[in-house]
Amino acid sequence: MISTSINKIGCMKLHYFKRYLILVLVFYNCSNEKQQFRNTLEGCWSLVNVSCECIPINLEVNEHTWTFNISKSTVTVENSVTEKLHTLLGSGNYNVKITADMLVIGSITYEYYFEEGSLYLADHQHSDGPLIKFVKS
C-alpha cells in the first residue's frame, strides 16, 4: 500500500514536470521568435528608394536614416535632404509600435518585411501607396 502511494506521488510529480517543461519550451520559443524580428529591425537603416504612383525618390546611403531602438519603442530619424519630398519624415524622435509584420509611426501603419538584406515598408501598397526601401547603415 505504501509503495502504491509512492508510485502515485511519483507519477503526479512526473505529470506536472512534463506540463511545466512544455510551458517553458512554448514561452521560450515565442520569445525567441519575437526577439528574432526585433534583432533584425534594430539599428540604423538608410532610406534609398520610394516607389509609388508618384514622383520616385532615390537617395544616397545616410542621406535619410531611421534608427530603431526596439527596447524604447522609438525611431530616430535623421534627414539631411534639403528639398521637401513626399513620404520623408523630418528629423526627430518618433514613438513606434512594432509587431511581427507591422509598425506604426504616428498615424501611419506600415507593413514591413525583409528581402535580400533590405527592409521594406509598405503603406497601402495595394492601392498604389508608397513602398519604401531601406538598406542597413
Side-chain angles (χ1 to χ4, degrees), residues 31-88:
S31 68
N32 219 14
E33 286 175 11
K34 191 175 186 180
Q35 192 64 34
Q36 283 177 337
F37 81 79
R38 287 184 169 192
N39 286 343
T40 305
L41 188 58
E42 183 84 31
C44 187
W45 293 88
S46 289
L47 187 151
V48 292
N49 180 268
V50 178
S51 57
C52 58
E53 291 296 319
C54 54
I55 300 170
I57 298 174
N58 293 299
L59 301 175
E60 297 296 320
V61 172
N62 294 323
E63 277 190 282
H64 187 89
T65 62
W66 292 21
T67 303
F68 289 94
N69 185 326
I70 304 305
S71 63
K72 292 183 179 180
S73 298
T74 61
V75 62
T76 301
V77 175
E78 293 182 27
N79 183 5
S80 62
V81 178
T82 55
E83 63 181 293
K84 293 281 186 190
L85 298 172
H86 60 83
T87 69
L88 294 186

Side-chain angles (χ1 to χ4, degrees), residues 85-117:
L85 298 172
H86 60 83
T87 69
L88 294 186
L89 293 175
S91 294
N93 293 316
Y94 297 86
N95 291 325
V96 61
K97 181 181 175 188
I98 301 169
T99 66
D101 61 350
M102 305 281 272
L103 59 94
V104 180
I105 300 172
S107 62
I108 302 172
T109 300
Y110 297 98
E111 295 176 49
Y112 78 93
Y113 60 92
F114 300 93
E115 190 173 286
E116 297 180 7

